[in-house]
Amino acid sequence: MRQGTRHLLTAIALWACLPGIAQTPTPSQTDTPATENQIKAAYLYKFGGYVEWPAQSFDKADSAFVIGVVAADSFAEVLEQTITGRSMNGHPISVRKLRHGEGFTGMHMVFISHTENAALNETIAGVKGQAVLTVTDSERGPNAGSMINFVLEDNKVRFDIAPNPAEQNKLKISARLLSVARKVLGRTS
Amino acid sequence: MKRLGIGSSLRLKLIIVMLATTLVALIVALSAMVAYDLRAYHRGWIADLNAQAELLARTTAPALSFNEVGTARDNLNLLRFTKVHAAVIYTPNGSVFTSYFGEGVKRDIPRLPGNEGVQIEGQQVHVFKRIVDNGDILGTLYLQTDYALYERVWSYLGIAGIVIVASMLVAYLVSSWLQRIITRPVLAIAHTARDVVEQSDYARRAHKSSDDEVGVLADAFNNMLSEIERRTHELEISNRDKDKEVEERRLAQLKVMQLNSALEQRVQERTMQLEASNGQLALAKQAAESANRAKSEFLSNMSHELRTPLNAIIGFGQLLTSENMPYSARQQHEFTQHILKAGHHLLELINEILNLAQIESGKLSLSLETVELDEVLDDCKTMIQPQCDQRGIRLLFPARHGLRVEADRMRLRQVLLNLLSNAVKYNRDAGSVVLECTALDDQRVRISVQDTGMGLNPEQLQLLFQPFNRLGQETSAVEGTGIGLVVTRHLVEMMDGQIGVSSTVGMGTLFWIELQNAAQFGPALAPVVVPTPIEPPLPALKQDDARALVLYVEDNPASLKLVEEILGYRNDLQLISATNAMQGIKLAQAHQPRIILMDNNLPGMDGLQALSMLRGDARTSHIPVIALTASAMPQAIAEGLEKGFFRYVTKPIRIEDLTQAIDQALAKSAARAA
């Protein structure tokens, strides 16, 4: 996908322009303007629709889709609000708050907050070999080997994608997702 | 021109039929194809749009999910390679997320997204597609494009027009060629038919070029021609016959007309003849009526005339026989004179009446012969002289002239005596009567009798020849019957003569008659029956026998007595008598009388039979027989004379006549004896 010109929108405009989020049935969020975390939580949920996990990632057809949040419990709560009442490709969604050093077994997606920057590489390394989509919001994330990294540009939440680490972990990221990424890392386009 | 018209019409019709069929087939086929194509096109178009919308919705879903307007715009800009004019992505709340417009496209888009699906409005198609990702409705995609179906329809119409024109052109060429297959034989038959009609040539035949219906038509046409030819031939023959018949009828009519005109002419002629004869009939009728009238007058006159002398006879007779009325001898003689006079008059009257009756009934027959006029005139003069002497009238006769006429001797004498008698009767005393004879030419002899009487005026002349018209002399002393001139005229005319009169009152009257001149017939035969002029015979007849014996055959005693008395005065005659024919014949044979007097109406044998017996007997055939009979009718007289009576004396007997006849018979007998 070719990268088109980018328009900058204000945060307020952004909120107004988030229909999927705005339409979430969560009463607590409908009346309040979306925060950055809320947007990121919504994005996390939406990323699941553009990534293909290997079949062995789920024990059963109705096994839960687990999202782990590392070192960001508040965000985890926002995320839980976001996913309430939703499913991921037929799988119920569960959010798990993780501490530093905790293993990622049984996880399908992990959000590693920038508060974990110190041990970022280590944490990400713990994912290695497992079909877990790693999402960071740190400048160091891509270098640390995260697959998707949120960036704030012109007060708008955007993200970069590094497909290689995902492929190494047997994850297929949809090209449609790549088309809306700010940057696709590790590839010459 | 007409020929071209029919042919071209048939050709044209066939071509039109074929072209019309082709056109209909083309239109149906093209319509079906176009309809099918348009339907497929429509469906394909809609499906394409749906697919495009689906694809675009899916493509733009991430951009919408992650609020990437630029990406979405880029996605939409890909539409510039398509026929989509405009595209819009609406957010779920209805606001425009991003939009695309082709070059020169009016930025006319729905303000709000409509229901999902395809809508066709006029020449535009509107497609609304929900953008759904992972079960979430992210927004709505709107596409706008032209509905190219109409363009396609127009282009199809153009193509169809071209195809139709081309096809029709080809079809026209093909049908122009193909129609000959049908029209040629039909036109050939039509051509033949036209020639037949125009030239009346029924011997022509149509050429049969195929075995199809046209061939059947040709056969039928030819059969019809044969039939017409035959009929025409018959008709011509019949017409010729008719013409001939018409000509004959015309001639016959002409003839009839000629006959008619001839007939008309004849009818006209006959009509004219009829008219003429009608006129003659009318005249004849008038004459008959006047004759009838005259006859009635005549009868009444005759009755009167007959009664008058009878009156005297009966009257004086009564005087003579009356014993109470004594009369002297002188008176007796006077009475007797009256009776005799009246009797004579009556006799004359009856004779003349009988004459007239015979003449008028046509029973009077005359025997015309050549008559020596001198002899007749001598007789007449002898007979009329005494009357002239009584009244001192001079009678002047011409000298003997030798003229002869064709006449009946006796009747001529009667005529002349009548005229002379009238001239004497109606003359004045001591007058004169002049008789003249003139041969007018070879044909005619005129005898005129002129008197010196009172003359007649023209009115009297007109009435002169009517019976009993005595022209005012009825009351005079002159005796007359009024019949004489009538009889005279008839007699003259019967002798092919004419009678005429001219008179001057106070000077006298001249009667003339003209008779056939007999000069050309040569000299007259010696008269046989006419005696020589009367001579006193008595002394000469005295021969050996003192008296001549006369036989009188008469059954009536009174008549016999009268003749005895009459002959008693003559001493030279001796009378013997017989009362019937047979006795008379026997007496004649026995005594050889000199003369026989024969009554006609005898018992048994009549006078004529007795005469023939006497003539047939040599002993008596030379004896002159004088008829003495009351059969006074002229034909009886003529018959008697013809049968051989010497003389014919009628009753009542005039004594002079009887004595004259006896004298003549004696003379004849004497001449024979000599």
Side-chain angles (χ1 to χ4, degrees):
Chain A
M1 268 284 169
R2 199 165 58 88
Q3 296 290 335
T5 56
R6 310 284 184 186
H7 291 276
L8 296 178
L9 295 172
T10 64
I12 295 167
L14 176 83
W15 298 333
C17 291
L18 283 174
I21 303 302
Q23 284 176 357
T24 52
T26 312
S28 62
Q29 284 188 334
T30 54
D31 297 329
T32 55
T35 64
E36 185 184 336
N37 281 342
Q38 281 177 322
I39 293 170
K40 287 178 178 175
Y43 278 21
L44 276 180
Y45 163 73
K46 290 183 178 178
F47 286 154
Y50 296 100
V51 177
E52 194 177 323
W53 276 265
Q56 59 266 29
S57 297
F58 298 95
D59 294 340
K60 294 184 288 187
D62 56 350
S63 295
F65 182 86
V66 183
I67 302 174
V69 178
V70 179
D73 291 346
S74 58
F75 179 75
E77 290 170 2
V78 173
L79 181 60
E80 280 193 333
Q81 289 178 359
T82 302
I83 61 145
T84 302
R86 294 173 183 261
S87 62
M88 181 67 72
N89 296 329
H91 300 282
I93 302 172
S94 68
V95 176
R96 192 175 295 175
K97 296 175 184 171
L98 294 175
R99 293 297 165 245
H100 175 72
E102 255 183 287
F104 300 118
T105 308
M107 300 294 163
H108 297 91
M109 186 185 296
V110 174
F111 177 72
I112 303 168
S113 172
H114 55 83
T115 54
E116 188 70 12
N117 275 350
L120 190 58
N121 290 349
E122 186 184 351
T123 303
I124 293 172
V127 178
K128 206 159 200 165
Q130 296 181 49
V132 176
L133 182 69
T134 56
V135 181
T136 61
D137 61 345
S138 167
E139 301 170 353
R140 294 171 57 195
N143 291 330
S146 74
M147 299 169 192
I148 298 175
N149 184 46
F150 286 117
V151 292
L152 201 61
E153 188 179 83
D154 298 336
N155 291 326
K156 187 175 182 286
V157 177
R158 304 192 68 180
F159 52 86
D160 296 334
I161 297 175
N164 291 340
E167 288 175 6
Q168 288 167 5
N169 286 6
K170 301 178 182 174
L171 291 176
K172 288 181 182 173
I173 297 174
S174 167
R176 296 168 64 213
L177 187 60
L178 295 179
S179 70
V180 294
R182 191 189 70 143
K183 291 179 183 173
V184 176
L185 302 174
R187 287 185 183 180
T188 56
S189 58
Chain B
M1 292 296 290
K2 207 173 174 183
R3 178 181 190 168
L4 193 63
I6 291 172
S8 69
S9 169
L10 188 54
R11 276 192 203 114
L12 195 64
K13 282 175 185 169
L14 278 169
I15 290 172
I16 286 173
V17 165
M18 286 193 264
L19 289 186
T21 310
T22 308
L23 183 62
V24 169
L26 269 176
I27 287 173
V28 170
L30 284 174
S31 300
M33 282 171 63
V34 168
Y36 177 78
D37 187 84
L38 287 177
R39 182 166 161 269
Y41 173 79
H42 173 79
R43 287 183 176 180
W45 186 249
I46 300 299
D48 283 355
L49 279 178
N50 272 329
Q52 206 157 24
E54 184 75 40
L55 187 63
L56 203 54
R58 187 174 172 77
T59 306
T60 57
L64 203 54
S65 290
F66 300 106
N67 201 22
E68 286 291 341
V69 175
T71 306
R73 188 183 297 125
D74 290 343
N75 291 337
L76 292 186
N77 278 336
L78 292 173
L79 291 172
R80 69 175 177 271
F81 303 109
T82 69
K83 288 177 180 174
V84 176
H85 297 150
V88 180
I89 295 174
Y90 297 91
T91 60
N93 57 15
S95 60
V96 173
F97 180 66
T98 186
S99 60
Y100 158 79
F101 293 100
E103 286 184 9
V105 174
K106 215 164 94 185
R107 294 172 180 269
D108 180 20
I109 57 172
R111 209 166 48 79
L112 286 173
N115 292 327
E116 196 171 34
V118 178
Q119 295 169 12
I120 298 171
E121 290 180 1
Q123 296 202 352
Q124 286 193 325
V125 184
H126 306 282
V127 182
F128 289 97
K129 184 72 183 174
R130 296 283 176 254
I131 302 174
V132 179
D133 197 14
N134 202 19
D136 292 330
I137 295 173
L138 302 178
T140 302
L141 175 66
Y142 167 72
L143 296 179
Q144 186 195 74
T145 184
D146 282 338
Y147 188 55
L149 194 69
Y150 293 104
E151 289 174 24
R152 214 173 170 81
V153 167
W154 285 117
S155 68
Y156 271 139
L157 284 179
I159 292 168
I162 292 168
V163 167
I164 285 173
V165 168
S167 302
M168 296 305 279
L169 200 60
V170 174
Y172 174 76
L173 294 175
V174 172
S175 59
S176 299
W177 181 65
L178 284 177
Q179 51 87 20
R180 292 183 202 167
I181 296 171
I182 295 173
T183 55
R184 187 180 296 146
V186 172
L187 290 179
I189 294 173
H191 179 74
T192 306
R194 191 174 304 105
D195 285 354
V196 166
V197 170
E198 285 174 355
Q199 301 169 10
S200 298
D201 177 11
Y202 299 109
R204 293 195 58 149
R205 292 292 180 269
H207 174 65
K208 181 184 178 183
S209 55
S210 58
D211 283 330
D212 55 4
E213 289 87 342
V214 177
V216 173
L217 175 63
D219 283 341
F221 180 71
N222 286 338
N223 289 339
M224 193 177 74
L225 274 184
S226 302
E227 183 68 14
I228 290 176
E229 189 178 6
R230 191 177 63 76
R231 294 268 177 93
T232 306
H233 186 63
E234 289 175 0
L235 201 63
E236 278 171 1
I237 292 174
S238 151
N239 275 348
R240 259 201 302 278
D241 290 348
K242 283 219 176 90
D243 285 348
K244 215 159 104 185
E245 197 177 335
V246 165
E247 180 61 21
E248 286 172 357
R249 284 193 185 174
R250 197 181 62 77
L251 289 175
Q253 199 176 0
L254 207 62
K255 214 162 187 175
V256 166
M257 283 169 67
Q258 289 172 350
L259 287 175
N260 268 348
S261 65
L263 194 62
E264 279 175 11
Q265 202 177 342
R266 285 180 61 187
V267 166
Q268 209 168 352
E269 288 171 2
R270 290 289 165 86
T271 306
M272 287 171 65
Q273 290 174 359
L274 267 180
E275 284 172 357
S277 67
N278 273 348
Q280 290 170 356
L281 269 179
L283 288 176
K285 189 187 172 197
Q286 206 174 351
E289 280 173 355
S290 77
N292 203 30
R293 212 163 34 241
K295 190 155 269 178
S296 299
E297 283 175 30
F298 170 81
L299 284 176
S300 81
N301 285 344
M302 185 172 68
S303 173
H304 175 260
E305 294 295 330
L306 291 175
R307 282 169 194 276
T308 304
L310 277 174
N311 183 46
I313 293 166
I314 292 169
F316 285 114
Q318 285 170 343
L319 285 180
L320 287 175
T321 54
S322 172
E323 297 185 359
N324 303 328
M325 300 176 78
Y327 45 82
S328 64
R330 193 189 55 84
Q331 278 178 313
Q332 181 186 5
H333 180 73
E334 189 181 346
F335 292 168
T336 311
Q337 282 300 316
H338 282 304
I339 289 171
L340 285 175
K341 191 177 175 189
H344 284 300
H345 181 64
L346 191 58
L347 179 61
E348 185 185 0
L349 203 56
I350 287 170
N351 281 335
E352 289 190 341
I353 287 169
L354 288 174
N355 266 332
L356 184 63
Q358 278 179 320
I359 289 167
E360 293 206 330
S361 65
K363 285 176 180 171
L364 182 69
S365 56
L366 274 69
S367 60
L368 294 183
E369 57 185 332
T370 301
V371 177
E372 291 283 353
L373 205 49
D374 288 333
E375 293 177 7
V376 180
L377 289 181
D378 285 346
D379 287 353
C380 292
K381 189 175 182 181
T382 307
M383 292 170 76
I384 206 71
Q385 191 65 58
Q387 296 177 31
C388 294
D389 294 345
Q390 279 183 352
R391 298 186 55 200
I393 291 173
R394 269 193 314 145
L395 188 60
L396 299 176
F397 270 58
R400 295 184 76 89
H401 41 65
L403 285 175
R404 289 177 296 207
V405 294
E406 275 291 302
D408 183 296
R409 183 186 304 274
M410 201 170 71
R411 298 304 171 188
L412 176 58
R413 191 169 58 195
Q414 185 180 347
V415 165
L416 292 177
L417 282 176
N418 181 269
L419 292 179
L420 289 168
S421 154
N422 279 345
V424 173
K425 263 193 249 178
Y426 300 108
N427 212 326
R428 55 186 167 86
D429 291 341
S432 59
V433 171
V434 180
L435 188 143
E436 287 182 346
C437 290
T438 320
L440 295 178
D441 50 29
D442 289 345
Q443 306 291 324
R444 312 296 292 174
V445 172
R446 171 176 280 211
I447 305 166
S448 61
V449 178
Q450 189 170 15
D451 64 43
T452 54
M454 297 166 66
L456 299 165
N457 61 33
E459 288 79 23
Q460 288 173 318
L461 286 178
Q462 275 193 336
L463 300 171
L464 197 60
F465 296 104
Q466 291 189 359
F468 298 110
N469 198 324
R470 296 191 56 204
L471 306 180
Q473 300 293 333
E474 290 87 349
T475 55
S476 74
V478 181
E479 291 177 345
T481 60
I483 294 177
L485 274 180
V486 182
V487 174
T488 299
R489 190 184 66 163
H490 280 300
L491 290 176
V492 169
E493 287 171 355
M494 287 173 79
M495 290 186 289
D496 292 332
Q498 282 178 308
I499 185 169
V501 61
S502 59
S503 178
T504 307
V505 177
M507 294 289 290
T509 304
L510 183 142
F511 285 91
W512 56 262
I513 59 170
E514 286 180 7
L515 295 171
Q516 299 270 353
N517 191 343
Q520 70 268 33
F521 298 113
L525 296 169
V528 177
V529 292
V530 177
T532 50
I534 299 170
E535 297 168 8
L538 301 181
L541 284 176
K542 286 288 183 184
Q543 294 179 346
D544 49 345
D545 194 355
R547 294 183 296 175
L549 189 66
V550 175
L551 171 64
Y552 185 26
V553 185
E554 172 62 81
D555 61 332
N556 187 319
S559 294
L560 181 60
K561 178 71 178 164
L562 178 62
V563 171
E564 281 176 355
E565 291 302 326
I566 291 171
L567 296 188
Y569 289 103
R570 294 188 56 150
N571 47 13
D572 58 335
L573 297 177
Q574 180 186 357
L575 185 66
I576 57 173
S577 63
T579 57
N580 58 64
M582 286 312 297
Q583 186 185 3
I585 290 170
K586 283 175 183 168
L587 283 176
Q589 290 167 352
H591 299 290
Q592 296 285 311
R594 297 275 298 275
I595 299 169
I596 299 173
L597 301 176
M598 181 73 76
D599 183 23
N600 197 28
N601 293 318
L602 292 168
M605 186 184 294
D606 65 15
L608 280 173
Q609 288 170 321
L611 174 66
S612 66
M613 286 190 73
L614 290 170
R615 302 300 256 184
D617 191 330
R619 292 169 291 179
T620 55
S621 59
H622 63 280
I623 303 169
V625 182
I626 296 171
L628 190 64
T629 173
S631 298
M633 303 306 281
Q635 80 265 30
I637 298 169
E639 187 186 0
L641 292 173
E642 186 184 351
K643 287 274 176 66
F645 282 118
F646 176 72
R647 286 286 182 272
Y648 203 101
V649 179
T650 56
K651 296 175 182 173
I653 300 165
R654 287 175 63 96
I655 295 169
E656 302 90 75
D657 290 346
L658 181 58
T659 54
Q660 185 184 9
I662 288 171
D663 290 344
Q664 290 173 350
L666 286 175
K668 183 189 177 216
S669 174
R672 182 179 172 273

